[in-house]
Amino acid sequence: MHCPFCRHADSRVVDSRTTDDGASIRRRRQCPDCGRRFTTVETASLMVIKRSGVTEPFSRDKVIAGVRKACQGRPVTEDALAQLGQRVEEAVRATGSAELSTHDVGLAILGPLQELDLVAYLRFASVYRAFDSLEDFEAAIGELRQQLPPGTPGGLDEELGTAASAAVD
């Protein structure tokens, strides 16, 4: 690590601490040439390979922005979106892979989004899984109904009924 003051090519680590729940390391360094101290923050890079083949760094903000579109008009708070973004990032980092496809990121989003809001889940899944017809929606709703016990408070029928009545109003 180059010294930011004198540009000396080396520095020594004086202190190291984990930050952001262990996602990064804060290091206090000292230049052996000029003696000045500076701080660095190190994180493991996680790259996403897009469908076009382009590779870009993983962005929690992009995940949240995509999910926010699916949650438009739904009772989902910004805090809940931030927690979902953190869960998705933890899940993709837990794979141990330095590069992931957008498909893998989408899969990591579906689980937490289903727990957060069923209608938003269906919206996101319809784009992610490229629904082409009403049958695709019916199949996805059928899968959700099988996963939920009948009469579950806040269940799918209630969710979809609320969304449908809001659309009619």
Side-chain angles (χ1 to χ4, degrees), residues 81-157:
L81 288 175
Q83 288 176 350
L84 182 138
Q86 181 175 351
R87 286 180 63 191
V88 169
E89 183 171 358
E90 288 171 357
V92 296
R93 287 193 184 278
T95 65
S97 179
E99 290 186 340
L100 296 165
S101 68
T102 53
H103 178 76
D104 295 332
V105 176
L107 285 176
I109 292 171
L110 287 175
L113 184 55
Q114 183 177 350
E115 293 171 15
L116 181 65
D117 187 272
L118 293 173
V119 173
Y121 166 81
L122 280 173
R123 289 175 178 171
F124 188 88
S126 71
V127 174
Y128 173 73
R129 293 174 25 195
F131 289 2
D132 290 329
S133 65
L134 287 175
E135 289 78 21
D136 293 336
F137 277 98
E138 289 171 347
I141 291 170
E143 289 172 16
L144 288 173
R145 281 197 174 118
Q146 288 177 354
Q147 292 174 8
L148 295 175
T152 302
L156 187 62
D157 294 325

Side-chain angles (χ1 to χ4, degrees), residues 44-49 55-58 93 97-101 105:
S45 65
L46 179 63
M47 303 301 284
V48 176
I49 304 167
T55 305
E56 66 179 41
F58 175 84
R93 287 193 184 278
S97 179
E99 290 186 340
L100 296 165
S101 68
V105 176

